[in-house]
Amino acid sequence: MEWASRFGQRTNALDSDFIAVRYLLTVNASVNASCIKYHQVLHFFMASKQTSRAFKTARFNKDAKKAKIKDQALCDAIQQVMLGKADDLGGGVYKKRLNDNLHRSIILAKGGRYWIYEYLYAKKDRENIDDDELLAFRLLAKSYAELTEHQVALLIVNKDFVEICHDD
């Protein structure tokens, strides 16, 4: 892609779109500098906001309904996790207390782009996850971090993921 090599490779789709627009604007000689400046300001504003999406797996969705945990409570909890108010188990695996401390959730978020509620359990049923489970969750977190937008869309369409909050 000529525009990517000309303006530098970027990490996310928003940056990529901005670079493509900027390239198209500079190719068109009739576009004035104020238009380019507008797009630069727009890009700065949008890029300054970290985009992240939160999901729950189909299994977590079923368990959360049974435990009467609402999506808004899950979104609020994700915001707390982003602020460091959760147990960081390493490798993109977090443990967060839910439902007035009656339940524990395992959230996978390596890279911070996708936050996925993977596992829910009652505190009364078990204290913690096993070491083998933790290793499996770390591997799964790594896999989730490598998902493309298209793959995420397919997971949603197939009802493997349910999106609960999206902050763009």
Side-chain angles (χ1 to χ4, degrees), residues 21-164:
V21 168
R22 187 170 169 198
Y23 172 71
L24 291 173
L25 291 173
T26 57
V27 169
N28 185 351
S30 66
V31 177
N32 63 29
S34 64
C35 187
I36 293 172
K37 186 68 173 172
Y38 169 78
H39 286 284
Q40 288 173 334
V41 170
L42 180 63
H43 167 70
F44 176 77
F45 172 76
M46 293 178 76
S48 67
K49 190 177 178 191
Q50 180 186 1
T51 301
S52 58
R53 297 170 71 183
F55 304 93
K56 55 186 176 180
T57 61
R59 176 60 192 247
F60 189 97
N61 187 34
K62 180 182 171 189
D63 293 342
K65 281 182 183 178
K66 219 186 270 188
K68 297 183 173 133
I69 301 172
K70 304 282 185 201
D71 286 353
Q72 187 57 52
L74 297 175
C75 289
D76 293 344
I78 284 290
Q79 293 298 318
Q80 292 176 354
V81 174
M82 289 178 183
L83 295 172
K85 297 179 181 177
D87 297 329
D88 185 348
L89 304 178
V93 180
Y94 300 87
K95 182 171 73 171
K96 180 69 181 154
R97 292 164 183 83
L98 297 172
N99 205 12
D100 294 325
N101 208 19
L102 295 175
H103 292 88
R104 302 286 190 265
S105 62
I106 298 297
I107 302 166
L108 307 180
K110 192 168 184 92
R113 189 166 158 207
Y114 303 124
W115 297 79
I116 300 149
Y117 281 99
E118 184 67 33
Y119 182 59
L120 180 70
Y121 61 95
K123 181 182 173 184
K124 66 178 181 146
D125 294 338
R126 66 187 300 186
E127 187 64 28
N128 281 313
I129 58 172
D130 299 329
D131 290 340
D132 291 342
E133 290 172 310
L134 178 57
L135 289 174
F137 285 135
R138 287 178 179 162
L139 287 173
L140 191 55
K142 184 178 178 183
S143 296
Y144 284 163
E146 296 169 359
L147 290 174
T148 65
E149 287 293 326
H150 179 71
Q151 290 170 321
V152 170
L154 287 175
L155 288 166
I156 293 169
V157 167
N158 292 333
K159 300 185 188 218
D160 295 313
F161 278 5
V162 176
E163 188 160 14
I164 54 173

